[in-house]
Amino acid sequence: MTLDDYIDSHLGPEPEHLAGLYRRTHLTRLYPRMCSDHAQGALLGMLTSMIKPRRILELGTFTGYSALAMAETMPEGCTLDTVELDPEYEDEIRAVFDASPRGADIHLHIGDAEELIPGLLAPGTVPVDLVFVDANKRRYAAYYRALMPLLPEGAYIIADNTLWSDKILTASAHPDPQTAGIMEFNDLVAADPAVAKAIIPLRDGLTVLRKLPSAD
């Protein structure tokens, strides 16, 4: 038994529809490891229920597992906007969301996350209190710089893959572009006094940030 197996066995059963989505992802998609799993989905759902956001933004939909895990625990009246770059799977993703009890509250956007952020968080829109970042690892720092001025005080950012299979420890001299992007993001966050931060070493690492009140 692996540590992941042990964790899963102590979380209770995975919801049937999420287990089915996880299995289909591994049968039909390239790079299925990109999909959230039972342990991560449970944590995202727990954090969502604790934060009680008014609105959630997800960067990187993939097959929709993480979006469902958050949407199904978000409070009534909350909505979730999720951004997917690849239009090829749009119909498939929409079908997954339509089957959810919270499907009407999930809004899928196809396009580049960095380009869509200003419009999704524009003045006059419902404030985003929770962001889940799981898109292009090379652009994590750019996402962070785009998000921070547009988020209200107290908003949370959860960033996935921030330990990146421990490559951050071994590739400092000649990192590949994805590793370099994660390292830049981690260093940027570590040096930013405007956020409280914690790193959870679950799966590939989750960094949880909270935007602090302004010192002004």
Side-chain angles (χ1 to χ4, degrees), residues 24-37:
R24 289 197 305 276
T25 299
H26 280 71
L27 289 173
T28 63
R29 288 290 201 101
L30 293 173
Y31 312 114
R33 188 171 180 268
M34 292 167 56
C35 183
S36 293
D37 65 1

Side-chain angles (χ1 to χ4, degrees), residues 135-147:
N136 186 347
K137 313 310 168 192
R138 306 180 192 198
R139 305 303 299 165
Y140 265 35
Y143 300 150
Y144 184 75
R145 293 187 178 100
L147 287 165

Side-chain angles (χ1 to χ4, degrees), residues 65-142:
Y65 190 110
S66 51
L68 289 182
M70 292 185 288
E72 293 173 9
T73 62
M74 66 188 184
E76 289 299 321
C78 182
T79 59
L80 186 152
D81 292 274
T82 181
V83 178
E84 172 56 38
L85 178 63
D86 191 344
E88 180 179 355
Y89 297 102
E90 179 177 359
D91 291 344
E92 180 181 317
I93 296 168
R94 290 192 186 279
V96 167
F97 293 156
D98 288 345
S100 167
R102 297 301 300 270
D105 298 320
I106 305 173
H107 308 298
L108 175 64
H109 306 268
I110 302 297
D112 182 88
E114 196 173 346
E115 295 177 358
L116 292 176
I117 285 171
L120 290 170
L121 277 69
T125 59
V126 176
V128 169
D129 303 300
L130 173 59
V131 183
F132 181 50
V133 180
D134 192 17
N136 186 347
K137 313 310 168 192
R138 306 180 192 198
R139 305 303 299 165
Y140 265 35

